[in-house]
Amino acid sequence: MALIVQKYGGSSLESAERIRAVAERIVATKKAGNDVVVVCSAMGDTTDELLDLAAQVNPTPPAREMDMLLTAGERISNSLVAMAVASYGVDVQSFTGSQAGVITTERHGNARIIDVTPGRVQEAVDAGKIAIVAGFQGVNRDTRDITTLGRGGSDTTAVALAAAMNADECEIYSDVDGVYTADPRIVSDARKLDKLCFEEMLELAASGSKILVLRSVEYARAFNVPMRVRSSYSNDTGTLVAGALEDIPMEEAVLSGVATDDTEAKITVLGIPDTPGEAAKLFRALADAEINIDMVLQNISTLEEKKTDITFTLPIPDRPRCMDLLSKLKESEGWGDVIYNDDVGKVSLVGAGMKSHPGVTADFTEALRDAGVNIEMITTSEIRITAVVRDADLAEATRAIHDRFDLGGDEPAVVYAGTGR
């Protein structure tokens, strides 16, 4: 008997009809001889609707109260799925994140899981019940306050439970049949991948692929939890994410896909003295403010003034805090101007085969050249090349790179609910 953890996203639970379809799939998994733990996201656009409602009441709501509000979405879908499962005559018990033993840091809105003590969930499973857990939420042990895990936190909840309960596999259900070589909403002939190693999926997730949240893949790799990305709208076996990069034979290494990200902005700080410690001041201030940065580029300093410019990318929602912080540093440190630009996007080519195929960077840049796309920043890793381009050019850049490396399939990709999540 295997223990399967299944996570269902909002598009899979957007209506009563979809909830009953999901319940039927859960029951079928149980009747096939498996123990089943299910993690549910909020229905459809519930989280966005709650955010909009909060903004109408208070444009700057207390973070604690916002978490109290947002966790209601998962509790609603949780109980409805449990009711639907019970209608098929199967024993079921639902749990909130705190009841399931998901212990987090105390940061409201973007807490991290520090421990999972799933005693009550395990008791339910041992009693032959299907256990259903509300995703995206946990509790801080010291304050005993409810916390949320940030966007996509239900993926992380599912993987953390799978790790804590030694599950055989963690299935992530969305509205696409697996991980594709590109966003199927942008590239019509994107091809579904049968398997990826953790490192490849980490790079894709970090580069903007929306099918899995980065933190969930990090957790899965750390605890060696096999993940399978599937659709709740079909019976396709999906994409398995498991194993390490070094386990892939060199002759079998391929380029996995192209990821896009239009959720980041670019900031350039001008006129920073080109002396030891100046860059450290900048990035320490950002770190202390818990502002995540991604790509970083430092220009060659001018010989006359011995000053340089530093450019980096960051999530667009962090822009207000970052610009306020940098404006104060600019005055106190005597730096030049601070320039903000959110009219950018990232396009990345990812794959283990990059190590054994010389000329990939040349082909990547030539593909963008032939498409008339200008590169504003570029960076590479062992298995990834990322370029920052104008946001308006992002879709064309994605298709150009996808075509250049012949990553397409023979059949059009299907997005069942239109979101890719």
Side-chain angles (χ1 to χ4, degrees), residues 281-333:
K281 290 179 185 176
L282 169 63
F283 294 118
R284 172 48 59 192
L286 295 174
D288 290 345
E290 297 189 7
I291 296 173
N292 289 321
I293 61 172
D294 184 14
M295 299 174 65
V296 179
L297 174 69
Q298 179 171 330
N299 293 332
I300 298 173
S301 64
T302 58
L303 294 176
E304 297 82 8
E305 299 180 0
K306 290 188 177 180
K307 290 188 176 182
T308 188
D309 307 328
I310 294 179
T311 301
F312 59 90
T313 59
L314 78 167
I316 291 176
D318 286 336
R319 175 235 174 148
R321 290 190 301 128
C322 185
M323 290 299 289
D324 181 61
L325 174 64
L326 293 181
S327 294
K328 295 175 181 176
L329 279 172
K330 168 189 164 186
E331 298 300 324
S332 63
E333 300 295 331

Side-chain angles (χ1 to χ4, degrees), residues 203-215:
E203 292 285 12
L204 285 170
S207 301
S209 176
K210 300 176 180 63
I211 193 66
L212 285 176
V213 174
L214 177 61
R215 280 160 62 178

Side-chain angles (χ1 to χ4, degrees), residues 40-43 46-47 50 65-80 96 134-137 146-148:
C40 295
S41 295
M43 294 175 61
T46 299
T47 300
L50 291 174
E65 302 311 320
M66 181 62 85
D67 276 0
M68 291 289 286
L69 173 68
L70 294 183
T71 51
E74 277 70 23
R75 291 199 302 275
I76 290 170
S77 61
N78 211 43
S79 55
L80 289 172
T96 65
F136 177 66
Q137 61 188 257
I146 299 297
T147 56
T148 59

